[in-house]
Amino acid sequence: MTPSDLLATRMAALRLHETTRPSSVLETVQWMGALQAQDYESGLWAIGVRTQNATREDVMNAIARREILRTWSMRGTWHFVPAEDAAWMHRLMASRVMPAVWNYSVKFGFDEKAIGRARKIIIRALSGGKSMTRPALVNCLSDAGIATRDQGGNHLLRHFGNEGMLSNGISEGKEPTFVLLDEWVPKPRVIDDDEALSLIALRYFSSHGPATISDFTWWTGLNQAHAKRGIQANGQRLTRTTSDGIDYYHSPQVEPVKPEDLTLLPAFDEHLLGYRDRVHVLDPNHAQHICPGGNGVFKPTIVSKGRVTGVWKRAESLHKAQVELLPFTRLIARVKKPMDQALSRYAHFLGKPISARSQCGMEFSNGAS
């Protein structure tokens, strides 16, 4: 497999081509397995950009129908996942970070007794199908005498999220709420760990492949032994190929496509963060533009023919949005049409007009379709 073939197959797998996008939000999230979502709005667009004609409202409706949810499914990090799969994903993957989460709890001054008391307070506050925003829930802890200053309250929510007790529910405006996961999804999918490992391996390599075992262990937090077992359990549903002497795994059912001219991807998108090795999509010389100083905050990216060629940022008001384009090299006239198309798709998702401007002065403008 040549590098160009690898990239063409991967862009199809990532559902970043108009011919590969599923027709519903749930199908997209099921196919991807999980989509990283530290930034809530970016997580919504990560789903929208992969779903045919999707709007922000479509994604929010899928959350309201409890088809998908945002939770700490693995690596101690927020992801959107299929709601019915959240419980087994927590058991298989999120549980692996709990020793580190407990260490942080101790650093915040919480011992087992304090954690147990805080757990009871949150369960009491949310039981019966109730939901609360982060500030309201932290206030409940504070009012009960739990030390929440210096991010202590936020850490407790993270602790219980990684336990699998909490997830996000329906937002209040643009403020996510918290719910008890076992109440929000009362009938989760029940599978044993072997089946769970097989399923997560199939979903990852189908939606992110061609990818390596190292990429899979980075994404899931599992180890190489788990990865090999998961691959073997899938038999012919996954195939191995070699590029530059490196073994990659992918679904033989995913056909390569010619990558689209231009795509605007959100912060923390799977296109980058779904892999340990990002050299196929990002020149290492530009890495500092994506994640300045290695601070863990990944910017939204401009992607041209599958590779990252710049970053962008958005300012939004009630009736319109403005986008500032920050390409790595000066934009030329022939990119105007594909950029207009990319902006039109994003405008449709937001449901409002977008105007955009690059550093070189080239202007773009698209209304919601």
Side-chain angles (χ1 to χ4, degrees):
M1 178 176 283
T2 67
S4 60
D5 288 339
L6 185 149
L7 184 59
T9 305
R10 184 178 287 183
M11 295 302 286
L14 287 166
R15 298 310 193 228
L16 291 174
H17 189 274
E18 62 180 354
T19 64
T20 65
R21 295 184 179 106
S23 60
S24 75
V25 167
L26 178 57
E27 287 178 282
T28 295
V29 179
Q30 286 175 329
W31 171 259
M32 294 299 297
L35 296 102
Q36 199 153 329
Q38 288 99 317
D39 179 78
Y40 190 83
E41 291 297 321
S42 292
L44 299 179
W45 176 229
I47 298 169
V49 74
R50 291 173 165 85
T51 308
Q52 294 176 22
N53 299 315
T55 65
R56 184 181 183 278
E57 184 178 6
D58 291 332
V59 183
M60 298 301 292
N61 286 340
I63 295 170
R65 290 192 299 267
R66 308 189 186 191
E67 294 175 351
I68 66 171
L69 56 77
R70 180 174 177 252
T71 189
W72 289 271
S73 59
M74 53 196 176
R75 303 198 319 269
T77 300
W78 285 107
H79 288 79
F80 275 110
V81 303
E84 68 172 5
D85 295 324
W88 68 257
M89 294 180 79
H90 272 282
R91 187 183 71 247
L92 180 69
M93 296 176 291
S95 62
R96 301 180 68 81
V97 305
M98 282 309 298
V101 172
W102 270 104
N103 288 339
Y104 273 108
S105 296
V106 171
K107 291 180 180 179
F108 275 102
F110 302 122
D111 57 16
E112 288 192 26
K113 183 177 179 180
I115 292 289
R117 182 164 171 259
R119 186 183 293 109
K120 290 179 181 178
I121 292 167
I122 290 177
I123 291 175
R124 187 164 58 246
L126 296 177
S127 287
K130 294 191 286 291
S131 64
M132 298 178 70
T133 64
R134 180 189 299 269
L137 205 49
V138 170
N139 284 340
C140 279
L141 293 169
S142 181
D143 291 345
I146 302 293
T148 59
R149 62 184 181 278
D150 300 325
Q151 297 299 309
N154 288 336
H155 171 75
L156 286 171
L157 300 188
R158 179 186 176 215
H159 184 113
F160 300 129
N162 279 281
E163 273 188 359
M165 187 178 90
L166 295 178
S167 75
N168 276 168
I170 301 171
S171 295
E172 292 183 7
K174 291 197 174 182
E175 181 72 38
T177 64
F178 287 82
V179 295
L180 295 176
L181 179 58
D182 62 354
E183 288 190 354
W184 192 252
V185 189
K187 295 181 179 180
R189 184 175 186 174
V190 178
I191 55 177
D192 64 27
D193 286 351
D194 287 339
E195 188 177 354
L197 182 57
S198 174
L199 182 55
I200 199 64
L202 177 63
R203 286 184 176 175
Y204 175 77
F205 287 108
S206 296
S207 63
H208 292 68
T212 66
I213 285 177
S214 179
D215 291 327
F216 176 77
T217 59
W218 148 256
W219 191 73
T220 59
L222 299 171
N223 59 37
Q224 288 204 2
H226 287 120
K228 292 175 181 177
R229 280 173 48 205
I231 292 169
Q232 290 170 357
N234 280 287
Q236 295 183 348
R237 289 182 294 182
L238 294 176
T239 189
R240 182 180 68 180
T241 190
T242 301
S243 180
D244 292 334
I246 299 173
D247 288 338
Y248 293 85
Y249 298 87
H250 62 98
S251 168
Q253 296 182 355
V254 175
E255 298 289 339
V257 294
K258 182 181 178 181
E260 293 185 348
D261 288 335
L262 274 173
T263 308
L264 296 178
L265 293 183
F268 302 101
D269 193 76
E270 293 293 317
H271 176 259
L272 268 182
L273 270 73
Y275 308 88
R276 185 190 300 273
D277 183 359
R278 298 159 187 161
V279 68
H280 292 291
V281 297
L282 176 65
D283 185 332
N285 292 324
H286 295 312
Q288 73 275 11
H289 298 298
I290 308 299
C291 183
N295 62 2
V297 178
F298 286 74
K299 294 183 177 182
T301 54
I302 303 169
V303 175
S304 176
K305 301 186 185 303
R307 290 186 60 83
V308 177
T309 58
V311 297
W312 59 283
K313 54 186 178 180
R314 181 196 71 193
E316 188 176 352
S317 63
L318 181 62
H319 299 295
K320 63 180 181 179
Q322 293 181 319
V323 168
E324 183 180 4
L325 303 168
L326 304 167
F328 299 149
T329 57
R330 184 181 178 88
L331 293 178
I332 55 178
R334 67 178 175 83
V335 306
K336 189 175 190 314
K337 182 177 179 180
M339 182 61 77
D340 282 343
Q341 292 171 338
L343 287 165
S344 180
R345 190 150 194 274
Y346 189 44
H348 173 75
F349 175 78
L350 293 178
K352 62 182 67 175
I354 288 178
S355 61
R357 183 181 179 88
S358 72
Q359 284 185 319
C360 66
M362 189 179 294
E363 294 187 0
F364 309 83
S365 181
N366 268 275
S369 58

